[in-house]
Amino acid sequence: MTTSAETLADLSEGAVLERIFPRLPASASQLLGPGDDAAVIRAPDGRFVVTTDMMIQGPDFRLAWSTPFDLGWKAAATNLSDVAAMGAVPTALVLAIAAPPSTAVSVLEGIADGVRACCAALAPGCGVVGGDLSAADALTLAVTAFGDLEGRAPVLRSGARPGDVVALAGALGDAGEGLALLFRYGVDDAGVPDAGRADRVKAEHPRALAAQLRPEPPIDRGPAAALGGATAMLDVSDGLAIDAGRIARASGVGLDFFSTALGESPERALGGGEDHGLLATFPAGVTLPTGFRALGTVTADAGAVLLDGVPHEQGGWDPYRGWDGAA
Amino acid sequence: MTTSAETLADLSEGAVLERIFPRLPASASQLLGPGDDAAVIRAPDGRFVVTTDMMIQGPDFRLAWSTPFDLGWKAAATNLSDVAAMGAVPTALVLAIAAPPSTAVSVLEGIADGVRACCAALAPGCGVVGGDLSAADALTLAVTAFGDLEGRAPVLRSGARPGDVVALAGALGDAGEGLALLFRYGVDDAGVPDAGRADRVKAEHPRALAAQLRPEPPIDRGPAAALGGATAMLDVSDGLAIDAGRIARASGVGLDFFSTALGESPERALGGGEDHGLLATFPAGVTLPTGFRALGTVTADAGAVLLDGVPHEQGGWDPYRGWDGAA
């Protein structure tokens, strides 16, 4: 039997942890790490930012499309992005993994490698300070991420004011295009996700597939936006129009996008999900922080999202409707 | 259709959240709560304690045995206990729930009610500051809990010294007995968990079943132990012998239990899982904090657990072996 064929059921929980821990990134903010009942993390300004998210095999990912490395990367990246969207610097993660006992240990090792690579690339100094291993029929990752506001006020969704500039750091539409390509071409003739066909799609559309499977949100632009005077900010997770609507409602303003700023297809830019860019508003006249580009302007139309001044559908995504159990 | 028959698929995510949020407990440490990309929590001494745990339908609970209220209560209680075991006061939780779209909304409401009741009973001031809703085939709860050390050093597993007193706050063996009773009598003739039979077991063995399904760990005894000079401490989650072995190995000492202190059946006390009592060591001669009773003494036998001076089996529990997928 080769090492990679070893399953979780072949090893004790302790032995699995010994294989995974060395691969996980260390946190520079850790005062006490794994090995006790809880970890202790630095919160230098007397506060910490926290966000949590679960990714489940089936509704949230398919093993025929995502490698374990991809899963670890994406689980970390999406949570880091929520921390950054508050204007905070990510400091630490806790990671709970549930998996069938028949899962190869190498799958968990791959997840750990993806988390480590993501933190190293997008949030150096952020690392895993604790976790939990469980058994389940569906591979499940639960990540909770922490951040340090460095003494600043958090940047909320509610601070946009008429006249502000609407700006974005990150790409638009690629991740949504990647998912659409996988659903169309990454399946076999019966519609079942297929690794071989997905590989072909990845080779043909590398940018869109990478954006979907291994996103690179502009984490360090979150604190940069806070320092640059951002009045409101969020992570674009469900699509630009939907998330712009969230700022519009929370702030009691309208967000009016210029079609000329949204690329060849404004509808693709407005409708794509899982972009994980940072959408922020800045006072007019402020020099936008590096990495942000102006997309529009804030108006007085409370709760509205507009395109060239015309109200635009905000849409909606629902975790219980967007998935049928068979997928 | 009655309200309780409404399923998650009948409502938008936002509507589900509107039903659940008002039922969740508030945190006195919350600076910014749900509604933005992340929450902001107070960490008055510049540090925070964090622990995480996942509970999954099948391996971790059966809906024929546990009510939704029980699940919410237990998910909160077990995480609060890990915070308390560091000597910290629990301040906040984040709660991620994944459920099949066919789940009744009342199930999630029941979970929220259980979390609220548990916090109110065991950790007043602690509340839920954020969360996540997802779809999954198996009901899954992921809780991450936070605590405040109030300026104290955390109480680790590694600080026990020969001559210390071994003491416990909480019950021993009841929770394990409750689970054994459910597996024996709470199933139908084919061995499938059965709600009607479980109800009969609950009526006949209320203490053991409550300890298993709705545990009441002595949360406030954690900070009390830290103030009382505890040299080591942990939450007894896998059984007294197994968890005593963890202190023994981390501290390089032996933990010798007096059979006379372990009740009628020392084996039941040493072997039961999920007690969630706090096992701590205190310097000899110290007055034990209220709620702690002496169970034994710390010896120089590195890594050993003993009963009346005789080395005792430490056993072991494994999440991937302790469960067959059919359960």
Side-chain angles (χ1 to χ4, degrees):
Chain A
M1 182 161 55
T2 66
T3 301
S4 68
E6 273 182 329
T7 69
L8 299 179
D10 294 329
L11 297 176
S12 69
E13 180 179 15
V16 174
L17 290 174
E18 277 172 31
R19 293 272 286 272
I20 298 171
F21 268 134
R23 310 177 90 104
L24 290 170
S27 163
S29 299
Q30 174 182 304
L31 295 168
L32 176 72
D36 237 285
D37 288 33
V40 183
I41 313 303
R42 239 183 281 275
D45 73 358
R47 305 167 299 167
F48 63 98
V49 163
V50 56
T51 182
T52 194
D53 196 31
M54 234 190 307
M55 273 173 48
I56 296 156
Q57 181 184 352
D60 296 315
F61 62 84
R62 287 113 192 125
L63 291 172
W65 293 346
S66 294
T67 65
F69 184 97
D70 290 342
L71 297 178
W73 179 292
K74 187 167 179 174
T78 53
N79 278 281
L80 296 175
S81 187
D82 280 327
V83 169
M86 305 302 287
V89 176
T91 53
L93 308 169
V94 293
L95 170 63
I97 305 179
S102 60
T103 304
V105 177
S106 60
V107 169
L108 268 60
E109 291 175 331
I111 291 170
D113 290 345
V115 170
R116 187 180 72 247
C118 179
C119 286
L122 304 182
C126 181
V128 176
V129 297
D132 182 39
L133 288 179
S134 311
D137 281 328
L139 182 60
T140 302
L141 306 185
V143 173
T144 304
F146 309 106
D148 173 18
L149 286 163
E150 300 181 319
R152 295 182 296 271
V155 183
L156 309 185
R157 299 175 177 187
S158 53
R161 295 162 304 186
D164 283 355
V165 174
V166 177
L168 181 96
L172 283 175
D174 291 339
E177 181 189 339
L179 189 62
L181 287 166
L182 283 168
F183 270 114
R184 183 178 293 185
Y185 302 113
V187 294
D188 65 20
D189 297 340
V192 176
D194 181 272
R197 297 205 183 173
D199 283 345
R200 244 173 294 157
V201 184
K202 289 177 196 179
E204 286 164 15
H205 304 273
R207 193 176 71 177
L209 272 287
Q212 168 57 224
L213 300 175
R214 205 180 290 185
E216 299 192 25
I219 304 300
D220 71 345
R221 296 300 86 199
L227 288 166
T231 52
M233 182 158 55
L234 53 53
D235 160 57
V236 181
S237 51
D238 294 333
L240 184 60
I242 293 173
D243 286 311
R246 293 183 171 129
I247 289 181
R249 287 191 301 278
S251 299
V253 299
L255 268 64
D256 187 10
F257 292 96
F258 309 142
S259 60
T260 50
L262 293 181
E264 282 181 25
S265 169
E267 286 306 323
R268 176 181 181 275
L270 285 161
E274 298 191 277
D275 290 313
H276 295 297
L278 292 171
L279 180 67
T281 56
F282 294 90
V286 158
T287 303
L288 294 180
T290 306
F292 279 89
R293 60 190 189 278
L295 296 186
T297 187
V298 178
T299 72
D301 310 272
V305 173
L306 309 103
L307 181 62
D308 298 329
V310 178
H312 189 276
E313 179 96 23
Q314 293 176 32
W317 185 84
D318 192 286
Y320 303 117
R321 292 180 190 173
W323 171 60
D324 68 77
Chain B
M1 183 161 56
T2 65
T3 301
S4 67
E6 274 183 329
T7 70
L8 299 178
D10 295 330
L11 297 176
S12 69
E13 180 179 17
V16 174
L17 290 174
E18 276 173 31
R19 293 272 287 271
I20 297 171
F21 268 133
R23 310 177 91 102
L24 289 171
S27 164
S29 299
Q30 174 182 305
L31 294 167
L32 176 72
D36 238 285
D37 288 33
V40 184
I41 314 303
R42 238 184 281 275
D45 73 358
R47 303 167 299 166
F48 63 98
V49 163
V50 56
T51 182
T52 193
D53 196 31
M54 232 188 310
M55 273 173 49
I56 297 156
Q57 182 183 352
D60 296 315
F61 62 84
R62 287 114 193 124
L63 292 172
W65 293 346
S66 294
T67 65
F69 183 98
D70 290 340
L71 297 178
W73 179 292
K74 186 168 179 174
T78 54
N79 278 280
L80 296 175
S81 187
D82 281 327
V83 169
M86 306 303 288
V89 176
T91 52
L93 308 170
V94 293
L95 170 65
I97 304 178
S102 60
T103 304
V105 177
S106 61
V107 170
L108 268 60
E109 291 175 331
I111 290 170
D113 289 345
V115 170
R116 187 180 72 247
C118 179
C119 286
L122 304 182
C126 181
V128 175
V129 297
D132 182 40
L133 288 179
S134 311
D137 280 329
L139 183 59
T140 302
L141 307 185
V143 173
T144 304
F146 309 106
D148 174 17
L149 286 163
E150 299 181 321
R152 296 181 296 271
V155 183
L156 309 185
R157 299 176 177 188
S158 53
R161 295 161 305 184
D164 283 356
V165 174
V166 178
L168 181 95
L172 283 175
D174 291 340
E177 181 190 338
L179 189 61
L181 287 166
L182 283 168
F183 270 115
R184 182 178 293 185
Y185 302 113
V187 295
D188 65 19
D189 297 340
V192 175
D194 181 272
R197 297 206 182 171
D199 282 345
R200 246 173 293 157
V201 185
K202 290 177 197 179
E204 285 163 16
H205 303 273
R207 193 176 70 177
L209 273 285
Q212 169 56 224
L213 300 175
R214 206 179 290 184
E216 299 191 24
I219 304 300
D220 71 345
R221 296 299 86 198
L227 288 166
T231 52
M233 183 157 55
L234 53 52
D235 160 57
V236 181
S237 51
D238 293 333
L240 184 60
I242 293 173
D243 285 312
R246 292 183 171 129
I247 289 182
R249 287 191 301 279
S251 298
V253 299
L255 267 63
D256 187 9
F257 292 96
F258 309 142
S259 59
T260 50
L262 295 180
E264 283 181 26
S265 169
E267 287 306 324
R268 176 181 181 276
L270 286 160
E274 299 192 277
D275 290 313
H276 295 297
L278 291 171
L279 180 67
T281 56
F282 294 89
V286 159
T287 302
L288 294 180
T290 306
F292 279 90
R293 59 191 190 278
L295 295 186
T297 187
V298 177
T299 72
D301 311 272
V305 174
L306 308 104
L307 182 61
D308 298 329
V310 179
H312 189 276
E313 179 97 24
Q314 293 177 32
W317 184 85
D318 192 287
Y320 302 118
R321 294 182 189 170
W323 172 59
D324 68 76

